[in-house]
Amino acid sequence: MGKALAAAIGLASIAAAVTAPTAFGQPPPGAAACSGCHPASARVTSPVVRLAGLERDAIVRAMQGFRSGQRAGTVMDRIAKGFTDDEIQALAAWFAAQPKGGEEGNPARVPLPKGGEEGNPARVPLPKK
Amino acid sequence: MTFTRRRFLGLAGCTALFPAPARGQGAGPRVVVVGGGFGGASCARALRQLDPRVSVTLVEASATFTACPFSNAVIGGLRELSAQQFTYARVAADGITLVPAMATAVDPAAKSVTLADGTRLPYDRLVLAPGIDIRWGALPGYDEAAAALMPHAWKAGEQTLLLRRQLEAMNDGGLVVIAAPANPFRCPPGPYERASLIAHYLKTKKPKSKLIVLDAKDAFSKQRLFQAAWAELYPGLLEWVPLSKGGAVTSVDAATRTLVTDFGKHQANVASVIPPQKAGRIAEAAGVTDRTGWCPIDPVTFESTLQRGIHVVGDAAIAGAMPKSAFAANSQAKSCAAAVVTLLAGGTPAAPKLINTCYSLVAPDYGISVAGVYAPSGGQLADVPGAGGVSPANAPRATRAAEAVLAEAWFHTITGEVFG
Ligand SMILES: Cc1cc2nc3c(=O)[nH]c(=O)nc-3n(C[C@H](O)[C@H](O)[C@H](O)COP(=O)(O)OP(=O)(O)OC[C@H]3O[C@@H](n4cnc5c(N)ncnc54)[C@H](O)[C@@H]3O)c2cc1C
């Protein structure tokens, strides 16, 4: 994760230069909070979409759709309402500038078990029955 | 004594649990993080990612982290405790120095943390993320001995298993009582999720039994959704008694499992008493708690308003409108890390924007959620107006089932991000 992130931070500072200025190449406000649900780590599998490497316009359209209610969401409709147009633009630019990580981005990936905690290597192994 | 070679050698003995950092840490600024839960471990990792020059030390008392989210499902027999447990091996592999010890004191003037064995760790900036401690004695009769009979199970682990075993041992037709505390406390919807999943257990395994929730409040998180679901799923089984109807527990007698209110006594077969809480005790030792027992912070930097150079994230902090949740702790930790890195570099941190989403299970296939977006306003972390709220009322069961799946996905993602 470290290298990918370092690269991402490098790329993002380029993105940041063309959008809202962020201090020290850091993610724009709100971006860090997304990985509570949208996995950022390549080691995490989830039914929830990864944001890194998505097209900028696709992110903007999705956020605006959730915000206006035109696009159905479970929680994103409620969350998108907390972001202004400028913030959405900055978030979209940031995520679009990051290399696609995780499953899609890694052809060598051995498929992880679906959904289960087995996918997390830090998990304490289950006792043998 | 400072962080000496002896201490490092001492630690080397634990390499199985705490492998040496994969990448060495240089002579950059030193940040010490106390507490390796959702707040602290997230913050340590975010610090390393944002600026690899920063040398990060994570002090955590326990070799294994046991997560509270989904621990109510363990109590209800839907999940094993091992699914809640995580090691720190991957955190260490990020180049974070792990110190498996209890921090016992902080000297804000000397900028050092003292560990249980007397070792001192110097820091340039300190992040405290110790979670909660129980205010023993705040509820008369409820002390540590009482907790062994009437488990709080508000720190996941042995207490969680104890409550589950008590439910398993109870005869059909028994009375289960949950006592819920006044605000603020860890996980505002947690007592009601617990009630739901215990009710589910009783309905499926011991249907003649009854569950009463004695509440020190008249209102609670996601209340309408919970109550509508209870009426649908657990009619006649689960009764909620609010403050105004005599719900506040004024004392307990653990030996007889009796809960006393102003209106009478309830003698339970199984009782889970969720007592009043405060910031983890190292916060008080560091002088960052106020009269409430929690920690006032600057909403941009998470720096204590009482001690310079000490930041507080997670349950211990007074985070304005943000609830004390794992999601919030993780969100705060990443914003705090950004602020710390910026401050160490001599910059001015930008105002953060934070998110919280808390799922609750009312039944294994029935999930509901509350979400919020937060930004600094008037010296507090305030709700961004117009955003957030709870799942729709009257949604079809398919929506509830989808939210139950998303709840599990959230747990999987957050624990993967924090520990994996
Ligand atoms: C039943 C229940 C259900 C919950 N469900 C949800 C949910 O669905 N979603 C959600 O978002 N949140 C949920 N929560 C809330 C969530 O568990 C907490 O908000 C979260 O753990 C807070 O993170 P933290 O980092 O502040 O504290 P913790 O995660 O508790 O971490 C604190 C860590 O600090 C360590 N520590 C403390 N003091 C010291 C010291 N002096 N020295 C060294 N180490 C120390 C502890 O050992 C611990 O590992 C739930 C809580 C409960 C009780």
Side-chain angles (χ1 to χ4, degrees), chain A residues 6-122:
Chain A
I9 289 164
L11 279 171
S13 36
I14 299 166
V18 292
T19 58
T22 51
F24 302 92
Q26 289 177 2
C34 304
S35 60
C37 290
H38 297 270
S41 162
R43 288 195 290 267
V44 177
T45 49
S46 169
V48 180
V49 64
R50 278 175 199 283
L51 299 176
L54 285 187
E55 268 180 47
R56 183 176 168 153
D57 285 352
I59 299 176
V60 172
R61 272 198 311 276
M63 283 293 277
Q64 287 174 342
F66 283 130
R67 199 176 56 180
S68 68
Q70 276 167 338
R71 190 177 164 140
T74 50
V75 287
M76 276 314 297
D77 48 347
R78 295 174 251 162
I79 291 169
K81 291 191 179 75
F83 290 85
T84 64
D85 282 331
D86 285 351
E87 287 170 337
I88 290 174
Q89 290 291 343
L91 286 170
W94 159 264
F95 284 114
Q98 292 190 66
K100 249 191 181 7
E103 307 131 80
E104 304 84 3
N106 181 359
R109 188 182 69 88
V110 178
L112 290 168
K114 192 173 124 258
E117 284 72 27
E118 294 75 17
N120 182 346

Side-chain angles (χ1 to χ4, degrees), chain B residues 34-41 59-62 64-72 75 88 99 101-104 115 129-133 152-156 186-187 190-191 193-194 280-282 313-316 323-330 356-360 410 419:
Chain B
V34 174
F38 285 102
V59 182
E60 166 56 54
S62 174
T64 313
F65 182 72
T66 306
C68 286
F70 272 84
S71 65
N72 286 326
I75 291 165
Y88 289 96
V99 177
M102 180 69 95
T104 52
L115 307 179
I132 59 154
D133 264 309
H152 55 77
W154 223 239
K155 291 184 174 195
R186 158 177 282 186
C187 194
E193 182 188 62
R194 174 168 298 176
R281 64 180 81 80
I282 189 67
V313 295
D315 286 356
K324 298 189 187 301
S325 76
F327 196 118
N330 172 263
N356 176 62
T357 304
C358 280
Y359 291 97
S360 299
W410 166 77
F419 303 104

Side-chain angles (χ1 to χ4, degrees), chain B:
Chain B
M1 184 165 79
T2 52
F3 198 82
T4 58
R5 189 168 162 74
R6 188 195 64 75
R7 177 80 205 168
F8 271 113
L9 291 173
L11 288 174
C14 324
T15 42
L17 283 171
F18 298 96
R23 278 168 284 136
Q25 303 201 71
R30 297 156 305 179
V31 180
V32 173
V33 180
V34 174
F38 285 102
S42 302
C43 193
R45 285 191 129 170
L47 284 162
R48 283 293 282 172
Q49 288 160 5
L50 288 165
D51 190 345
R53 289 165 304 187
V54 175
S55 109
V56 183
T57 301
L58 179 60
V59 182
E60 166 56 54
S62 174
T64 313
F65 182 72
T66 306
C68 286
F70 272 84
S71 65
N72 286 326
V74 176
I75 291 165
L78 300 168
R79 192 181 173 89
E80 294 312 312
L81 190 70
S82 50
Q84 302 294 112
Q85 295 181 314
F86 302 88
T87 67
Y88 289 96
R90 291 287 186 157
V91 174
D94 277 3
I96 291 158
T97 304
L98 271 151
V99 177
M102 180 69 95
T104 52
V106 174
D107 184 338
K111 291 194 163 185
S112 73
V113 175
T114 306
L115 307 179
D117 70 354
T119 305
R120 279 166 177 256
L121 302 177
Y123 64 81
D124 295 306
R125 285 197 174 261
L126 173 65
V127 179
L128 295 180
I132 59 154
D133 264 309
I134 306 293
R135 283 172 54 192
W136 300 114
L139 174 62
Y142 199 73
D143 55 15
E144 287 184 78
L149 296 167
M150 304 169 108
H152 55 77
W154 223 239
K155 291 184 174 195
E158 259 316 302
Q159 279 273 308
T160 312
L161 292 176
L162 177 63
L163 182 53
R164 173 170 164 166
R165 284 194 300 264
Q166 289 185 350
L167 288 166
E168 285 167 353
M170 187 184 82
N171 290 330
D172 191 4
L175 173 66
V176 182
V177 179
I178 296 175
N183 294 321
F185 62 100
R186 158 177 282 186
C187 194
Y192 314 97
E193 182 188 62
R194 174 168 298 176
S196 306
L197 295 182
I198 290 179
H200 177 265
Y201 171 77
L202 297 176
K203 181 181 169 180
T204 49
K205 299 276 166 49
K206 291 168 186 172
K208 285 182 268 178
S209 310
K210 198 167 169 185
L211 170 63
I212 298 178
V213 182
L214 297 174
D215 207 329
K217 305 176 289 303
D218 277 324
F220 61 87
S221 174
K222 297 180 249 191
Q223 180 170 351
R224 289 220 189 120
L225 292 170
F226 272 114
Q227 287 182 316
W230 291 343
E232 183 187 340
L233 302 174
Y234 313 118
L237 199 160
L238 195 170
E239 183 192 350
W240 175 66
V241 185
L243 169 70
S244 56
K245 300 236 168 73
V249 175
T250 52
S251 70
V252 299
D253 179 45
T256 57
R257 289 208 177 86
T258 304
L259 300 98
V260 181
T261 70
D262 284 339
F263 288 46
K265 286 183 179 180
H266 300 262
Q267 218 203 316
N269 298 99
V270 174
S272 175
V273 174
I274 304 164
Q277 299 148 33
K278 59 180 183 181
R281 64 180 81 80
I282 189 67
E284 193 177 350
V288 295
T289 52
D290 68 11
R291 282 177 21 224
T292 65
W294 306 99
C295 309
I297 49 150
D298 177 282
V300 173
T301 60
F302 295 86
E303 188 167 4
S304 166
T305 58
L306 302 174
Q307 297 286 355
R308 302 296 307 268
I310 303 179
H311 303 249
V312 186
V313 295
D315 286 356
I318 299 174
M322 292 192 89
K324 298 189 187 301
S325 76
F327 196 118
N330 172 263
S331 187
Q332 291 164 12
K334 290 181 281 195
S335 291
C336 174
V340 166
V341 164
T342 304
L343 288 167
L344 287 170
T348 307
K353 199 134 201 187
L354 298 103
I355 300 174
N356 176 62
T357 304
C358 280
Y359 291 97
S360 299
L361 293 181
V362 190
D365 59 349
Y366 193 123
I368 54 177
S369 63
V370 59
V373 184
Y374 312 88
S377 171
Q380 286 290 337
L381 280 167
D383 272 307
V384 173
V390 299
S391 309
N394 307 318
R397 275 304 283 270
T399 305
R400 308 299 189 213
E403 289 219 285
V405 171
L406 286 170
E408 178 107 43
W410 166 77
F411 182 78
H412 179 68
T413 297
I414 198 103
T415 53
E417 292 287 327
V418 179
F419 303 104

